[in-house]
Amino acid sequence: MALIEIKDLHASVDGKEILKGVSLTINPGEMHALMGPNGTGKSTLSNVIAGRAGYEVTSGDVLLEGRSILDMEPNERSNAGVFLAFQYPVEIPGVATSTFLKAAINAKRKFAGQKEIDAMEFLKLVKARAKELNVRDDMLKRPVNVGFSGGEKKRAEILQMALLEPKFCILDETDSGLDIDALKVVSDGVNALRSADRSFLVITHYQRLLSYIVPDFVHVFAGGRIVRSGGKELAMELEENGYAEYVDAA
Amino acid sequence: MAEAVTELPIVANARGLPAPGGAPWLADLRGRGLDAFELPGRKTEAWKYTRIDALMKKTAFVPPPLIDEPASSDIPCHLALGAEGHRLVLVNGRFSPELSDLDALPRSVTVQSLASALESDPQAIAPHLGNLQPLEGYPFAALNTGLMGDGLIIRIKDGALVETPLHVISVAHAPGEAPVAFHPRLLVMVGKGAVATLLESHVGVDGGETLSNGVTEISIGADAVFHHYKVQNESLKATHLAAAQVVVGAKAVYEAFALSFGARLSRHDIRVCLDGEGAEARVNGAYAADTGQHMDTSSYIDHALPHGTSAQTYKGVVDGSGRGVFQGRINVARAAQGTSGNQLHKALLLSNKAEVDAKPELTIFADDVQCSHGATCGQLDDDHMFFLRARGLTEDEARGLLIEGFLDDVIDLVSAPAVQASMKDMVHAWLIDRSGRKEAA
Ligand SMILES: Nc1ncnc2c1ncn2[C@@H]1O[C@H](COP(=O)(O)OP(=O)(O)O)[C@@H](O)[C@H]1O
Ligand SMILES: [Mg+2]
């Protein structure tokens, strides 16, 4: 069975249609890249899948393991295994990163009928994952994303992903604003999470990321839908020719 | 007007009592206090958001009965600050040597009850008592001055480094039917170059209505560092009125934080005068008001001399039909060149019946100053909510975490780690109570 199936999805914001018939099937273990010009609806697609309010799905469906998730609350989608790494991670003053991570882990455990993680186990787990992602201990003590650099924010997103172990991960421009070292750390983190039953949709503007995270499929997104699909060589072609022809076509 | 005031039960019922210490200067001071007391009403600008006249007229407050004190085990310690400290317990404003812990006080600190000082050597405190607290414009401080009988006098010697905080635990307790009013008075003299911390916990033993009407006068010598952390956690039948007058000497630092969860009506008046060159005040606070609660913070920072710094941040969470009030005044005298004075009030409204009034007021007479004020009032941020929910938290869990974060953020300004941790625990406890209330409703 497909892990995720997006079927002719149409969605609008304030009455303006942004997604104009998106169809995409992702099987377990696959890495898909979604590339395209700015302002064409890539983040809208990820928000609709994650369940952000303010988007009206006018037709179509999104299925996770054959079940529609569109009527589910955002936390239910998360608990079911959907994870969105945000393009612009929010800063939350006053909420310590470690407190937040513990709350997120416990939310998932509660959903799975497990008891709360104990303090020592939590510390061990977080420290181990954080180390792999070059997330320093002092970042865990600081409020969520407050005072983090762009790269630190993106690494924090991947840390959350590593701790929640989702089935389906959307990475919305996780590479933007990263220098080459940070890009490597983030890519290594993502690659370490690749597995036979976990799938990814990596949204990016640049081919650069895809030489670190090698996709199985590449899709070109323009004008609110996927206009072309291919293998990883499509990314090279886009890098050379740009998106001009798709912008014009859309 | 004067007649009406003496007919108020709180005044009339207190009058017949013999006051301790009969020195003429004290009788005179008390007399001036009562004369200056006017019940603030609709036309009193400083009290326009906090109406107290109806409560005062209709409630037959009596002075606390001379009953047996509550046992140490009856004092709700979990409502007090959890940080270590020398316990100084006031029960209905009266100092309780039995419940207090004076033995371990360092020699650089002397603590005396006001009642015993007035009895043994009233002349020694004559120059200090009422020296800082104006009677005009502070009606309830005037009433306190008229009716005060006990409290604490705390002296910290020049250059003293007092490691363990002094912890005043003020217990409000009305065991009988009658509503009880009391007027505790604190006098704190911090010597030059001293470093010390004062904690105040105001708690209530379950019972009837109470009114705590306290005045605290604090003088801080040059180069001293004084930390002053207060928690108001009285019962929902309590009224809590408090006025603090603080004078900060040259290059001295006053750091204050006031945290309020309790009482149906509370007013925290704080006035800080930067009275020496380069004096610094960091005056912050937080409050959480739910249905049936009204919380007022009125601050006045007076920059009297050059190169003073003041920074104020207050945050309030208002839920149900609760109400918050913030009045923040900064005055910069002509002489106070090179002043920096900043003030911020942020309120988080959790229901559409919740209400907040904020009134900043800057009066600046010097020209080389950097001053700012800001007030925001809003709801939980949608992006924050979505982020947390996308990480698996339910709506209630996400709201809880954000509300806690909103208050913890300002509690981070408390520079004493143990006090900061205890205050955060209190915020957490408040949130657990809150979700209990929501479930019950
Ligand atoms: N919450 C929103 N409110 C209003 N307009 C929005 C909102 N989200 C997206 N849009 C609009 O939808 C279009 C697509 O935006 P977005 O999905 O962010 O594009 P991309 O991620 O491809 O750059 C843009 O025109 C944007 O202005
Ligand atoms: Mg985008």
Side-chain angles (χ1 to χ4, degrees):
Chain A
M1 194 193 347
L3 180 76
I4 198 113
E5 221 177 323
I6 303 169
K7 295 160 96 171
D8 193 28
L9 189 64
H10 291 253
S12 347
V13 177
D14 300 332
K16 181 178 153 212
E17 183 164 71
I18 310 287
L19 300 184
K20 300 172 180 168
V22 181
S23 292
L24 177 63
T25 299
I26 300 180
N27 291 306
E30 289 177 355
M31 174 73 68
H32 288 240
L34 192 68
M35 305 182 73
N38 280 327
T40 53
K42 302 185 297 298
S43 291
T44 301
L45 176 65
S46 41
N47 281 323
V48 168
I49 295 172
R52 188 192 284 266
Y55 297 87
E56 196 201 346
V57 174
T58 50
S59 68
D61 209 343
V62 178
L63 310 180
L64 178 73
E65 296 177 316
R67 255 178 74 212
S68 175
I69 59 169
L70 290 182
D71 285 336
M72 289 162 66
E73 294 291 319
N75 50 307
E76 295 171 331
R77 300 183 196 203
S78 167
N79 289 326
V82 174
F83 183 94
L84 168 61
F86 289 87
Q87 180 173 6
Y88 303 108
V90 291
E91 299 182 6
I92 311 185
V95 179
T97 302
S98 58
T99 306
F100 152 67
L101 292 175
K102 199 167 175 189
I105 288 172
N106 282 332
K108 191 190 159 204
R109 287 192 163 217
K110 195 165 145 193
F111 178 80
Q114 296 163 331
K115 65 174 176 40
E116 292 200 345
I117 192 165
D118 85 82
M120 288 306 293
E121 194 189 341
F122 169 74
L123 222 66
K124 244 175 84 179
L125 177 69
V126 171
K127 283 199 169 175
R129 294 282 172 282
K131 202 170 168 206
E132 288 160 14
L133 289 160
N134 262 356
V135 172
R136 294 185 319 274
D137 282 0
D138 74 284
M139 280 169 64
L140 299 172
K141 288 186 197 124
R142 276 193 269 155
V144 175
N145 290 323
V146 175
F148 289 18
S149 70
E152 285 172 335
K153 285 180 185 169
K154 297 299 172 86
R155 275 184 275 148
E157 293 284 295
I158 303 301
L159 173 62
Q160 292 155 33
M161 189 167 94
L163 290 170
L164 292 175
E165 302 178 328
K167 292 176 186 156
F168 176 54
C169 312
I170 307 169
L171 276 65
D172 192 358
E173 302 214 18
T174 297
D175 55 333
S176 65
L178 295 188
D179 63 30
I180 200 77
D181 292 331
L183 190 66
K184 276 185 187 146
V185 173
V186 164
S187 306
D188 289 347
V190 173
N191 288 328
L193 290 170
R194 288 183 78 161
S195 75
D197 44 15
R198 182 174 291 133
S199 310
F200 294 84
L201 180 64
V202 175
I203 299 170
T204 181
H205 201 68
Y206 306 103
Q207 189 274 335
R208 191 179 70 151
L209 176 69
L210 303 180
S211 48
Y212 295 98
I213 300 175
V214 181
D216 302 307
F217 301 94
V218 174
H219 310 277
V220 182
F221 196 92
R225 65 175 100 101
I226 291 172
V227 294
R228 198 179 152 196
S229 296
K232 57 178 179 266
E233 66 289 343
L234 180 53
M236 306 288 188
E237 187 190 316
L238 290 168
E239 184 74 359
E240 256 166 48
N241 303 341
Y243 296 111
E245 63 175 295
Y246 303 105
V247 176
D248 298 342
Chain B
M1 196 72 193
E3 264 168 7
V5 164
T6 54
E7 277 167 22
L8 282 177
I10 195 170
V11 178
N13 293 338
R15 275 222 139 157
L17 292 182
W25 65 266
L26 185 59
D28 176 61
L29 179 63
R30 286 194 177 122
R32 280 189 287 123
L34 278 186
D35 286 347
F37 176 53
E38 257 185 64
L39 189 60
R42 191 162 42 88
K43 292 188 182 145
T44 318
E45 178 67 19
W47 288 76
K48 71 173 176 184
Y49 299 122
T50 298
R51 293 294 300 279
I52 193 171
D53 39 331
L55 177 86
M56 297 303 292
K57 280 177 190 155
K58 76 163 198 266
T59 313
F61 286 110
V62 297
L66 288 162
I67 40 117
D68 290 338
E69 287 174 353
S72 166
S73 56
D74 291 337
I75 295 176
C77 287
H78 64 285
L79 298 176
L81 276 165
E84 193 198 351
H86 301 285
R87 269 161 72 111
L88 305 169
V89 178
L90 300 173
V91 176
N92 287 340
R94 275 192 212 107
F95 178 63
S96 164
E98 291 76 28
L99 296 174
S100 302
D101 157 31
L102 293 173
D103 300 340
L105 278 180
R107 264 188 303 212
S108 53
V109 178
T110 56
V111 174
Q112 199 181 11
S113 78
L114 177 66
S116 71
L118 291 177
E119 223 169 308
S120 63
D121 189 8
Q123 230 38 55
I125 54 166
H128 305 293
L129 194 62
N131 188 33
L132 304 183
Q133 177 62 59
L135 300 175
E136 295 303 321
Y138 289 87
F140 285 93
L143 182 65
N144 172 292
T145 304
L147 302 177
M148 65 181 163
D150 204 353
L152 290 165
I153 300 165
I154 299 173
R155 286 189 175 84
I156 296 161
K157 293 205 170 82
D158 287 356
L161 289 174
V162 185
E163 278 182 27
T164 306
L166 300 164
H167 190 176
V168 175
I169 301 177
S170 174
V171 185
H173 180 40
E177 296 285 298
V180 165
F182 53 96
H183 310 271
R185 190 93 179 191
L186 260 58
L187 195 55
V188 183
M189 288 163 269
V190 183
K192 289 186 184 114
V195 178
T197 300
L198 175 69
L199 312 179
E200 276 185 60
S201 293
H202 297 262
V203 300
V205 175
D206 271 340
E209 263 183 78
T210 55
L211 167 65
S212 168
N213 176 38
V215 169
T216 302
E217 296 176 279
I218 303 175
S219 60
I220 303 173
D223 302 308
V225 176
F226 189 63
H227 301 255
H228 183 195
Y229 305 121
K230 170 183 168 180
V231 166
Q232 188 275 103
N233 225 343
E234 292 185 16
S235 85
L236 290 178
K237 287 184 189 161
T239 301
H240 178 89
L241 305 176
Q245 301 291 331
V246 186
V247 171
V248 189
K251 295 202 172 68
V253 176
Y254 174 63
E255 181 189 303
F257 197 99
L259 180 62
S260 299
F261 298 105
R264 63 173 163 188
L265 186 154
S266 67
R267 163 104 166 188
H268 175 72
D269 256 303
I270 181 157
R271 180 169 150 190
V272 180
C273 181
L274 299 180
D275 200 30
E277 277 206 38
E280 182 180 344
R282 304 193 285 261
V283 185
N284 306 306
Y287 59 88
D290 206 337
T291 299
Q293 290 186 291
H294 176 117
M295 296 188 180
D296 176 335
T297 301
S298 294
S299 83
Y300 178 3
I301 309 289
D302 191 7
H303 286 262
L305 288 170
H307 305 295
T309 307
S310 69
Q312 299 178 82
T313 306
Y314 286 91
K315 280 187 160 191
V317 169
V318 187
D319 199 2
S321 57
R323 182 132 186 237
V325 174
F326 177 74
Q327 307 187 100
R329 181 167 169 205
I330 301 175
N331 182 63
V332 182
R334 185 179 300 276
Q337 299 296 353
T339 282
S340 159
N342 299 291
Q343 177 198 93
L344 181 63
H345 176 260
K346 283 184 162 184
L348 178 59
L349 302 183
L350 297 179
S351 99
N352 46 19
K353 280 183 287 171
E355 208 181 311
V356 163
D357 292 294
K359 189 179 100 178
E361 195 181 346
L362 261 54
T363 47
I364 300 175
F365 301 99
D367 39 48
D368 173 22
V369 300
Q370 182 274 314
C371 282
S372 73
H373 67 82
T376 66
C377 191
Q379 279 132 32
L380 290 172
D381 185 300
D382 287 343
D383 289 343
H384 291 176
M385 281 296 291
F386 177 61
F387 171 73
L388 294 178
R389 300 200 63 199
R391 294 295 177 259
L393 278 67
T394 62
E395 178 157 17
D396 280 349
E397 287 166 345
R399 282 171 74 90
L401 200 58
L402 292 177
I403 296 165
E404 191 165 353
F406 179 81
L407 294 175
D408 282 358
D409 180 50
V410 66
I411 293 172
D412 278 334
L413 297 173
V414 172
S415 64
V419 176
Q420 191 190 100
S422 174
M423 286 183 167
K424 287 184 179 179
D425 287 346
M426 287 177 164
V427 170
H428 196 74
W430 182 81
L431 275 158
I432 289 171
D433 281 357
R434 174 180 180 267
S435 48
R437 285 196 299 274
K438 301 268 165 226
E439 264 167 39

